[in-house]
Amino acid sequence: MTAEHQRLHEADTKQKHWRRFGPYLSERQWGTVREDYSAGGDAWNYTTHDQARSRAYRWGEEGLAGFCDSKQHLCLSLALWNGQDGLLKEQLFGLSGPQGNHGEDVKELYYFLDNTPTHSYQKALYKYPQQAFPYERLVQENAQRDRTQPEFELLDTGIFDERRYFDVFIEYAKADTDDLLLHYTIVNRGPDEATLHVLPQLWFHNTWAWGYDEYRPSLTATTANQFTVQHRDLGELVCYADGGPELLFCDNNTNCKRLYGTSSLEPYFKDGINNYLVEKDLQTINPARTGTKAAAHYVLTLAAGATQQVRLRLGPAGQAQPFADFEALLSQRQAEADAFYAAIQCDIPDADARLVQRQAFAGMLWGKQYYNYNVPRWLAGDPAQPAPPPERLTGRNAEWKNLDNNDIISMPDIWEYPWYAAWDLAFHCIPLAQIDSEFAKNQLQLLCHDWYMHPNGQLPAYEWRLGDVNPPVHAWAVFRVFKMEQKRRGDAGDHAFLQTMFHRLLLNFTWWVNRKDRDGRNIFEGGFLGLDNIGVFDRSATLPGGAYLEQADGTAWVAMFALNMMRIALELSQSNPVYQDLAGKFFEHFLYIAEAMTNVGNTDLDLWDEEDEFYYDALKTEDGGHELLRVRTMVGLIPMFAVEVLDENVLAGAPKFVARMNWLLANRPQLAALVSHWQEPGKSATRLLSLLRGHRLKRLLFRMLDSKEFLSDYGVRSLSRVYLEKPYVFRDTDITVNYQPAESQTSVFGGNSNWRGPVWMPVNFMLIESLQRFHHYFGDDFKVEYPTHSGQYVTLLDVADELAKRLTHLFLRNPDTGLRACFGNRALLQQDPHFKDYLLFNEYFNGDTGEGLGASHQTGWTGLITKLLQPKGA
C-alpha cells in the first residue's frame, strides 16, 4: 500500500480528515445562476468579470488555481501583476455567453499537471504574459466574428510569439490534514529581464453581509511575515510567509461605490489590494493589518530564463521554523504521488500514455468544487439585502424548492461549466472510481438525496434549468462503479451502496415512466437529452401546432435504464431473493419499450427504417400522423447502448426471475420476437438482452464504421459526414442539418457546443462498452466489415479496441510526426518544449482533424480517456 493509498484509507474510515482541504475553489463565480438576482434570469449580465474583483459573492468564491476547505470558509489563491495590466490577475478571464461567437469561453492558458485523491500533492501551471493582457482585443475581435468563424483565442493575439511570458507553477502539499505547503515557481521564459508581482491570497467567504449571522472571522498580522487565521469552524491557524513580503489586508466586502455609486459603512473592500497596487490608492488597505482578506506581496525581478520561488505555509501555531522541513516534505509528497500513480499505471508501458492519463486524472481531481445553492433562500432573497424582483418566484428553478446543495461536487469544467450536470457527473465517476471509489460513490449518491432529487423523482439537470432532462445514465454508472470497486477489492462489493442507490433510482425510473412517456405507450421524449443541437429542431422547445417528437434516443436510453436496473436487482438478489421480482419487472419494462419502438402509437410505425436500416426520431404531427426525420445522427446509434449479457451463474442464482422471463417469452411471443434470441446461449453459455438482433446490429455498424459517414480517425462522429455536401432538408423548407465538424454554426440551444459532426467522448465510450458486451455474447464468430468497404472482417471486440485506439490518438503523440491531434495546427503547442507536453481535455473534438474544441478544461467526461488508456483487465 502506497502512502497515498494509506491516506485514502484513513479518510474513508474517518480516522483523519485528509479531504478537508482541496482544490474546491471555482474558477468562475460571476455569470452563474446562483449569483443572479435579476428579474428575467440574465445571469451573464447581472454579475460580470469586470465586477468580480469588487463584488462579495453570496454563494461561493473563485480564484486562480485555488484551494479551500470543504465548506469554503477559508480560501487560498494566487494573484499576479505584470505591472502593465489595469487590474490584478485574480480571476481567469473569459467571454460571457453573449460575448462569444460560440458562447462562453475562457481566454487564458493554464494546465492541471498533477493531483492525488486526498490532495496531498497537486500541481498546476499558469502562463502569464509580460505585456498587457489583451482583454479588450479579445472581446472586440470575438464580437466581430460570426458563427461560421472560429473563436479568437489568446494565442491568436500573438502575445506568446516572442515567449515574453512567465510560467507560474503552483503546488500545494499537505504536511498534515490542516498543515498546507504553498509553493510557487516562477520562470521568466522571455529574452529580457522582467518584473512580476506575486500575491498569494487568503480570504474568508463572506457570510456576515446577508442578515443571518454577524460573526466575522479574521486575518491578523502578528509579526512581519506571519498572520493568524481565526475562524470558529476551523480553529486557529497561522499563515507563515517566507522571505519577508509586504503583508496587505482588506475585507471581502462589496465595493458599492465602484459598482453602484452608493456609499457603504464598511471602510475596506474586496478590491482593496488591487486598488492599492494598481491604482496606487493607499487608503484601500487596512493599516492595522487585519481583515477578512490578506495577501503576501512579493516583487520578483527575473533575468531572462531565470527561476525564483515563493513559499508559504498554512498550519498550526507555534512553528518556530516553519520552512526548515518545507523542501523535504514537498519532495516527499511528490515522490508519494509518483508511487501512487506508478501503482495505478503499472500495466501501461508507454511513457506518453502514462503522461496523458496522469494529467487527465489531475484534471478530474482539480475539477472538484464546493457548490452551494439553496433554491428557496435564493428565490426569496436575504434579510440584509434588497428584496429580489417578484418575477423570480415564478421564474427559473422556482419549482425546485427542495434543492439545497452544499457539497464538494465534480464539475464538467470549473470555468465554463462551474455547476454540476447530471449525466456529466455519472460519466465523471468512471475515471474517479479508478483512483478514489469512495468519492465516486459519494457523487452518485448526492444527486439521489432528498435535497437534490425532486420529490417527484427527477434528478436535477443543471443550474440553468434544473428541470431539464439529461439521459438516464445514473444507474449505468452506479453498477459500473460497483463492479470496478468489487474487482479491486476482491470481495462481494458494497451491497449497501448498491441497495441504497437502487431504491432511490426506482423513484427516478418511475418519474421517467410517468412524465416523459406522454401517452403511456413506452415511447419517450425528454427534450434535448444532452445532445444540444443534434436534431432538426430544438428538442427542448415546444413545436408549433401541438406537434412533438417521438425520440429514438430517449426511448433507447430508458430501455438501457430498465436493463441497468434489472442487472442491479439481479446482483442484489444474490443476498436477498426479493429482488428477483423487481428484476423481472424491469425485464418486462424493457420488452414493452422494445415493442413500442417498432409500433409507435399502434400505427405500425417503426423507429427503425427498413429502407435506410437506421433508427430515426419520429415527428407526431398536428393531425395525428407520424413522420420519420431521416437524418443520420448519433441518435440512431444510441439503441446499441441498451444491451445486457447475463452469465449462467447469475441466472442460476435467480430461479424466480428466470421463470418469470421464460413465461413472458412463451406467452408474449410478439415481445420475444423483438429482442435477441433469449433461448439461444451465446459464447460461454451467456444470454443476451438487446434492442438489436444480429442483423440490425450489423446494419448500424455498416453506417457507423464508414469513414464517409460516422467513422473518423479519432472516433465516431455525432453526425454523418454525408451531410457535408448534401445537407438534410426538412420538407423543402429552410430548416436544414449540415455536417459541421468543428464549432456550431447554429444558435440552436445556445450555440456553445456542437453535436452536428464533432467527436464526443462519452457516447463513444458507451459505444465501445456496448460492443464489448455484444462480443461477450456473440464471440469471435460474429464479424463485421471494418472499416466499411475495406473488405476486412473483424470481431466486435476488435472494433471496440480500434475505436478506443482512435480516441487515444486524440492525445497521444503520433509516432511518425510527433504531433498531438488535439493541438490542431498550432505550432507553438505542437513543438515548443514548454507547451507540447501540457494537455487540455476539451469538451469535444473536430470530426475530421481531432482538434480540441469547446470548453478547454472539460476533463470531466473527457476524463473517460483514463479508462481507455488502462489495459483491459487492469
Side-chain angles (χ1 to χ4, degrees), residues 616-628:
Y616 297 118
D617 284 346
L619 178 68
K620 185 171 183 180
T621 55
E622 55 272 19
D623 61 1
H626 288 85
E627 175 183 352
L628 288 180

Side-chain angles (χ1 to χ4, degrees), residues 696-713:
R696 288 191 177 183
L697 175 61
K698 285 187 174 181
R699 300 317 297 164
L700 279 183
L701 292 177
F702 179 82
R703 300 281 195 191
M704 189 182 93
L705 302 178
D706 187 345
S707 61
K708 294 179 180 179
E709 292 222 29
F710 288 97
L711 185 66
S712 82
D713 291 340

Side-chain angles (χ1 to χ4, degrees), residues 252-323:
N252 186 17
N253 293 319
T254 295
N255 187 338
C256 294
K257 183 176 182 179
R258 175 177 181 260
L259 296 184
Y260 313 117
T262 60
S263 60
S264 172
L265 296 177
E266 296 284 352
Y268 302 106
F269 307 108
K270 179 180 175 180
D271 54 14
I273 295 169
N274 175 91
N275 296 345
Y276 170 78
L277 281 179
V278 178
E279 300 178 8
K280 313 303 181 190
D281 187 345
L282 305 184
Q283 305 303 311
T284 61
I285 60 169
N286 190 341
R289 302 210 304 165
T290 187
T292 51
K293 180 179 179 180
H297 177 211
Y298 295 84
V299 183
L300 308 182
T301 300
L302 295 90
T307 298
Q308 291 190 39
Q309 298 177 339
V310 169
R311 305 187 303 177
L312 289 86
R313 186 167 188 166
L314 175 67
Q319 299 189 55
Q321 295 182 301
F323 298 100

